[in-house]
Amino acid sequence: MSRLIAEERGVTLVELMVVIVLSGIVMGATLTTFTQFERTTGVNQRQNDAQEQVRIGLAGVARELRNLASPTDQLPEAVVHAGDQDLVFQSVSSSATRRVRYCLNPSQGRIWRQVQYEPFSDPSSSCPDSAWGSERTSVQNVSNGGRPVFTYSATELESITEITTSLWVDVN
C-alpha cells in the first residue's frame, strides 16, 4: 500500500487534453439540444396562444350570431352584408337591435369587431370603418391572404342558414 502512495504516476498532458476535448463535445451537444428544445417550446407556446385567441374571438362571433335578430318588414335580412372578408348582421342586445360587423384588415392582420346602433349606415370598404364608432380587435395575426374568412350556405342574404369561418394565423 505504501508503494502506491509513493508512486508519482499520474495522467499525461495528452490524456488530460483528450478528456477536456471529449467533455467539451458532450457539453456542446447537451447545450445545443437544450437550446433547440427552448426554441421549439417558445414556438409551440406562441402557436397555442394564437389558437386560444382565435378560439375566443370566434366564440364571440358565434355567440352574437346566435343572437341574430329576426328579420322584419323594414329589414328583411338578418344578414345585411355577406362578403368573403366582411360580415354584417343584425343582433339583439339587452337594450336594442344593433348591427355587428366583423371584417378583416389584411394589412394589419386583424379581424375587427364593430357595433352600430340605429340609425344604421352601410359599411364602407375600409376596415375598420370610422363611421361605425365602436371598434375593437377580435383576432390578431391573421394571414388569410386571398382566402375567404367567411363562407355562406347561400348567395342570397335571406337564404343564409350557415356561416363558416376559416382563419389562417401566423404568429411569426
Side-chain angles (χ1 to χ4, degrees):
M1 184 61 112
S2 62
R3 193 184 108 229
L4 290 176
I5 295 173
E7 280 187 21
E8 295 184 15
R9 286 182 38 196
V11 292
T12 64
L13 185 59
V14 173
E15 292 171 334
L16 187 60
M17 294 300 287
V18 169
V19 169
I20 290 173
V21 167
L22 289 177
S23 297
I25 290 171
V26 170
M27 191 64 102
T30 303
L31 290 177
T32 301
T33 303
F34 182 72
T35 303
Q36 184 63 35
F37 174 76
E38 285 293 314
R39 188 176 302 127
T40 303
T41 301
V43 168
N44 286 340
Q45 185 64 44
R46 286 193 307 274
Q47 287 174 339
N48 291 340
D49 291 346
Q51 285 177 348
E52 183 65 22
Q53 194 243 352
V54 167
R55 259 193 291 279
I56 290 169
L58 293 181
V61 174
R63 182 180 60 251
E64 288 184 313
L65 281 170
R66 282 189 215 106
N67 290 335
L68 196 67
S70 297
T72 63
D73 292 337
Q74 296 81 16
L75 299 166
E77 306 93 16
V79 176
V80 178
H81 177 74
D84 286 347
Q85 297 181 342
D86 196 3
L87 169 64
V88 180
F89 57 91
Q90 293 177 174
S91 180
V92 178
S93 71
S94 59
S95 59
T97 300
R98 61 189 179 178
R99 281 190 178 174
V100 179
R101 178 185 190 200
Y102 286 91
C103 61
L104 171 65
N105 184 321
S107 64
Q108 295 176 339
R110 293 181 178 188
I111 299 282
W112 288 91
R113 176 191 179 269
Q114 295 187 279
V115 177
Q116 183 183 58
Y117 293 93
E118 293 188 84
F120 297 132
S121 65
D122 289 330
S124 69
S125 60
S126 66
C127 176
D129 185 353
S130 59
W132 280 58
S134 170
E135 64 186 46
R136 71 173 168 83
T137 300
S138 181
V139 180
Q140 297 182 53
N141 303 319
V142 178
S143 60
N144 270 42
R147 296 176 288 252
V149 174
F150 303 105
T151 52
Y152 309 94
S153 60
T155 55
E156 291 95 29
L157 296 177
E158 300 86 16
S159 302
I160 294 175
T161 58
E162 183 178 313
I163 300 171
T164 305
T165 57
S166 178
L167 292 179
W168 296 78
V169 179
D170 182 8
V171 295
N172 296 322

